[in-house]
C-alpha cells in the first residue's frame, strides 16, 4: 500500500508576471505524477523580506502526495528550473520560489532539506496563506494563528480573485 502524506508548499515570485506564473505552477503541481490532490490559498502581495526588488506574489498549496520528501523536493526544483529560476545570490529576486514547508509530521534536517521549514514561523507571507488552508495548524513554535498575530508588522495584502 502506498503511503500518502499531506504536504504544504510555499510559492513565491517577484519577477515577470508573478501572478500568472503562480497560477500556471499550481496547475503543473496538480499534474505532477505522485501528487494526488492540490488545493491553493488565495494569492497575496508582500514586500521582500531580507531582500531587495519588487513585491512578491505568494501563495501556499496543500497537496496529498505519494512522493517521499526528497523526491517531492526534486519535483519542486524541476518546476523552478522550468520557470527560469536562477540563484545568482542568496535571496535574489526570482521568477519562482517553491519551498516545502511541511510534509506530514516528518522532521528532518539534512543539507538539502529541513522539515518543518525552519523560518516559516517568521514570515507572514507564508503563515497568512497557510492559515487559509489549515487555520488550526500547530507548528513547532506554537499555534499558527498566534504566530501570525506576532507578525502584524509585516505588510501583506490578500489579492482579489
Amino acid at each position: 500500500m502506498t503511503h500518502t502524506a499531506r504536504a504544504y508548499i510555499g510559492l513565491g515570485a517577484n519577477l515577470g508576471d508573478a501572478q500568472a506564473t503562480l497560477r500556471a505552477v499550481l496547475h503543473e503541481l496538480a499534474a505532477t505524477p505522485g501528487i494526488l490532490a492540490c488545493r491553493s490559498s488565495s494569492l497575496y502581495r508582500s514586500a521582500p523580506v531580507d531582500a531587495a526588488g519588487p513585491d512578491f506574489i505568494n501563495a501556499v498549496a496543500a497537496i496529498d502526495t505519494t512522493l517521499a520528501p526528497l523526491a517531492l523536493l526534486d519535483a519542486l526544483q524541476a518546476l523552478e528550473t522550468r520557470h527560469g529560476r536562477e540563484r545568482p545570490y542568496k535571496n535574489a529576486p526570482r521568477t519562482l520560489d517553491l519551498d516545502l514547508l511541511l510534509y506530514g509530521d516528518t522532521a528532518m534536517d539534512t543539507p538539502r532539506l529541513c522539515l518543518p521549514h525552519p523560518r516559516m514561523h517568521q514570515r507572514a507571507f507564508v503563515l497568512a496563506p497557510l492559515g487559509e488552508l489549515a487555520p488550526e495548524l500547530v507548528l513547532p513554535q506554537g499555534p499558527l494563528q498566534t504566530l501570525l498575530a506576532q507578525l502584524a508588522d509585516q505588510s501583506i495584502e490578500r489579492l482579489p480573485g
Side-chain angles (χ1 to χ4, degrees):
M1 178 152 153
T2 306
H3 173 72
T4 301
R6 167 68 46 92
Y8 293 93
I9 299 163
L11 298 89
N14 72 338
L15 293 178
D17 187 341
Q19 290 188 41
T21 298
L22 293 195
R23 287 190 181 99
V25 167
L26 287 164
H27 289 289
E28 292 169 42
L29 264 177
T32 298
I35 295 180
L36 311 177
C38 180
R39 285 187 311 125
S40 172
S41 70
S42 302
L43 297 181
Y44 290 77
R45 178 188 317 280
S46 64
V49 174
D50 299 331
D55 283 354
F56 273 87
I57 303 299
N58 296 98
V60 168
I63 64 166
D64 294 328
T65 184
T66 58
L67 296 172
L70 289 172
L72 180 56
L73 180 65
D74 289 340
L76 297 179
Q77 290 178 339
L79 281 171
E80 288 179 336
T81 300
R82 193 175 317 143
H83 284 273
R85 169 75 188 263
E86 296 177 358
R87 292 177 166 80
Y89 54 90
K90 185 174 171 57
N91 296 329
R94 56 205 69 156
T95 55
L96 180 62
D97 185 28
L98 299 174
D99 286 328
L100 182 51
L101 303 172
L102 296 162
Y103 182 95
D105 294 329
T106 300
M108 64 187 291
D109 187 354
T110 71
R112 280 198 68 208
L113 181 60
C114 292
L115 288 171
H117 189 288
R119 292 174 302 284
M120 71 177 162
H121 67 284
Q122 302 167 340
R123 296 173 170 170
F125 66 82
V126 171
L127 296 186
L130 183 58
E132 210 182 294
L133 296 172
E136 305 305 316
L137 200 61
V138 177
L139 302 176
Q141 298 82 8
L144 186 148
Q145 299 301 332
T146 302
L147 296 169
L148 182 57
Q150 295 168 356
L151 302 176
D153 60 324
Q154 292 184 19
S155 173
I156 183 165
E157 170 196 2
R158 185 174 170 174
L159 299 176

